[in-house]
Amino acid sequence: MTTTGSQESKSASELIDGRIKDLGDWRGEMLGRLRALIRQTDPDVVETWKWRGVPVWEHDGMICTGETYKSVVKLTFAKGAALPDPSRLFNSSLEGNTRRAIDFQQGEEINEDALKALVRAAVALNKSKARK
């Protein structure tokens, strides 16, 4: 990623903006659309930047990460195995006991209602654990 100035002096939101811009292709557009849906679903979401360049969305704990690879944009839900997924969006990292992910490929449509339901469920799960 190319950015002007020190990454440490930039907010997580600015770093995510930079990642989307620097990708400059369908992956940036997809990451931007996914980010917008997450922020629309949970206006109180906090954006963070971890592991040397991974956008993370949190609310009372981690909701999901947004990773970009050559052929996919991956949303990994930290506690995805505990979330209801009636629309069967999860299509990656299915073997673990905790995480679940959704790999989005170029040109793929986003099931916005199902994704928003997953984000709401992740926030509700985080809030329930935060209260204990």
Side-chain angles (χ1 to χ4, degrees):
M1 179 170 103
T2 57
T3 57
T4 54
S6 167
Q7 282 194 6
E8 285 117 28
S9 67
K10 294 186 180 215
S11 72
S13 292
E14 290 172 323
L15 291 168
I16 295 169
D17 289 342
R19 166 65 50 83
I20 290 167
K21 181 181 176 193
D22 287 349
L23 285 166
D25 60 13
W26 72 270
R27 296 171 301 161
E29 291 174 25
M30 180 65 77
L31 184 60
R33 289 175 52 214
L34 295 169
R35 176 194 198 190
L37 286 170
I38 293 166
R39 292 168 71 173
Q40 178 184 14
T41 303
D42 181 12
D44 296 324
V45 73
V46 175
E47 295 187 317
T48 60
W49 184 259
K50 296 187 178 181
W51 308 293
R52 296 187 195 142
V54 177
V56 179
W57 292 274
E58 301 182 12
H59 187 145
D60 290 328
M62 188 182 299
I63 298 170
C64 63
T65 63
E67 304 142 72
T68 53
Y69 299 96
K70 187 175 183 176
S71 61
V72 298
V73 173
K74 179 184 291 282
L75 271 189
T76 302
F77 283 75
K79 299 173 188 144
L83 301 178
D85 183 22
S87 298
R88 303 177 72 77
L89 289 183
F90 291 129
N91 60 11
S92 182
S93 303
L94 301 175
E95 63 285 342
N97 293 328
T98 307
R99 294 179 295 124
R100 293 287 183 272
I102 308 166
D103 286 350
F104 294 93
Q105 298 187 13
Q106 186 172 8
E108 189 170 339
E109 291 296 318
I110 300 170
N111 182 336
E112 293 184 9
D113 292 336
L115 181 59
K116 288 178 179 183
L118 279 177
V119 170
R120 284 191 294 273
V123 171
L125 180 60
N126 285 351
K127 285 183 176 185
S128 73
K129 295 202 182 269
R131 286 188 201 122
K132 292 183 181 179

